Amino acid sequence: LSPTRTGLYKQVCEVLLQGRQSASGSTRYPLNPDQKQEALQALALEMTKSQVLQFTLDERNQDSNIFLAKEFLQTELAQMVEGGREFKPEDFIERDDIGVRELLSDRKQEKLYEFTHRTFQEYLTAVELTKAEHEPYLLEVFAKDEKHLDWWRQTILFYAGQVRVDKLIDAALNKPTVATLTLAYECLQNKLRV
């Protein structure tokens, strides 16, 4: 097992999304394990930005604490499925018997879904944030209030375990509070050098 927390979560996601599919020899599912993770990463990021832990595919749901994911997932999945095949969000979430369902839990009667543990959402968000276009958004988190920073804390630590932390430390130093400097120090502990 990986000696780092970030590495451990990476291995768990690989086992759930890749290892089980390889072991079962299943090829009937239209997405490969990397595509599944890409879609889950994008979903996790949008949920984290909205500061919600649950999502639904039911567009009639008006609860502001629940992310309406159907249209978002439809767009993401359309970019991944080849050959013009239609792949619905319901198929991705509800009918995948290998991988995706392992990372999600549901309350079927209410048609609500969430990651099996908040740390999976935080890890997948952090992986998505390593893409260059998302980094400015993460750096802005340091300029917001302490409650907002607290919401992002674990995601930032997962992020720091994957990239150089120089920009995170600079962002903390630009708004030096106990919370930002503490988080910067925790990020620094994940790295051998800056």
Side-chain angles (χ1 to χ4, degrees), residues 30-142:
L31 298 179
N32 66 43
D34 291 336
Q35 290 172 315
K36 290 179 190 182
Q37 183 164 333
E38 283 283 327
L40 288 172
Q41 287 170 201
L43 175 63
L45 176 60
E46 291 306 309
M47 291 173 62
T48 302
K49 283 181 175 180
S50 300
Q51 295 190 6
V52 297
L53 297 173
Q54 295 181 325
F55 69 94
T56 185
L57 301 177
D58 183 1
E59 296 172 324
R60 297 171 297 187
N61 192 316
Q62 298 298 314
D63 190 336
S64 62
N65 293 320
I66 298 171
F67 181 69
L68 299 176
K70 187 170 185 169
E71 188 176 317
F72 176 80
L73 280 173
Q74 240 167 346
T75 303
E76 288 294 316
L77 297 171
Q79 297 170 22
M80 295 179 187
V81 178
E82 297 174 6
R85 286 178 51 189
E86 184 179 359
F87 188 53
K88 298 178 181 176
E90 293 84 358
D91 295 331
F92 178 69
I93 299 298
E94 297 171 356
R95 296 190 181 95
D96 173 29
D97 54 349
I98 301 172
V100 174
R101 297 294 299 142
E102 301 292 332
L103 288 170
L104 299 174
S105 62
D106 61 42
R107 295 193 331 227
K108 286 190 191 252
Q109 293 171 332
E110 293 130 344
K111 297 182 181 181
L112 296 177
Y113 305 89
E114 61 190 331
F115 288 90
T116 53
H117 195 277
R118 182 173 174 182
T119 53
F120 283 114
Q121 180 177 331
E122 292 163 337
Y123 167 75
L124 291 166
T125 299
V127 174
E128 184 69 11
L129 286 166
T130 61
K131 297 176 181 174
E133 69 265 21
H134 297 305
E135 187 178 54
Y137 183 87
L138 182 64
L139 297 176
E140 289 175 16
V141 170
F142 283 89

Side-chain angles (χ1 to χ4, degrees), residues 148-167:
H148 195 78
L149 184 64
D150 191 47
W151 172 262
W152 282 87
R153 174 180 220 75
Q154 293 304 318
T155 300
I156 291 170
L157 292 173
F158 275 123
Y159 178 80
Q162 301 173 74
V163 300
R164 292 179 55 105
V165 295
D166 300 47
K167 291 181 181 177

